[in-house]
């Protein structure tokens, strides 16, 4: 359906095949990802490349911009866009 609204936006994925399991509401996670994808596509009215990627990441020191992130293993979901 997104292709009909944004025909010049190419969607790519780079998904970690060994992604760890995550805890959370599947519906809420889906809504967050879909909102990010929609906002990204809207930001490229003349087309571009939208990439969805996932990765496992170990955090062992504080992350700038976050008050409290405990040390440990995390799953990172990234939605990025690049205008042609």
């Amino acid at each position: 359906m997104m292709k009909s609204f944004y025909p010049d936006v190419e969607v790519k994925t780079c998904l970690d095949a060994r992604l760890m399991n995550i805890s959370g509401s599947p519906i809420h996670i889906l809504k967050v990802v879909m909102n990010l994808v929609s906002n990204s596509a809207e930001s490229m009215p003349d087309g571009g490349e939208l990439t969805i990627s996932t990765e496992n990441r170990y955090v062992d020191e504080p992350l700038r911009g976050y008050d409290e992130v405990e040390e440990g293993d995390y799953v990172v979901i990234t939605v990025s866009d690049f205008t042609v």
Side-chain angles (χ1 to χ4, degrees), residues 3 6-7 12 14-15 26-28 34-36 39-40 43-44 47 51-52 56 65 69-70 72 77 83:
K3 258 315 195 193
Y6 308 102
K12 294 187 175 186
C14 183
L15 307 175
I27 291 174
H28 289 103
M34 290 309 299
N35 282 333
L36 290 170
N39 290 344
S40 182
S43 75
M44 301 182 289
T51 304
I52 303 167
N56 297 317
V69 175
E70 295 182 20
I77 302 171
T83 305

Side-chain angles (χ1 to χ4, degrees), residues 7-34:
D8 296 325
V9 174
E10 181 181 355
V11 178
K12 294 187 175 186
T13 58
C14 183
L15 307 175
D16 189 330
R18 296 180 181 213
L19 198 63
M20 296 182 295
N21 290 326
I22 60 174
S23 297
S25 164
I27 291 174
H28 289 103
I29 293 169
L30 177 63
K31 284 183 178 184
V32 167
V33 172
M34 290 309 299

Side-chain angles (χ1 to χ4, degrees), residues 56-82:
N56 297 317
R57 185 178 300 166
Y58 181 77
V59 173
D60 60 354
E61 58 186 47
L63 297 173
R64 186 180 65 196
Y66 294 89
D67 293 334
E68 272 186 51
V69 175
E70 295 182 20
E71 181 176 344
D73 292 307
Y74 292 86
V75 170
V76 178
I77 302 171
T78 304
V79 177
S80 59
D81 55 70
F82 177 74

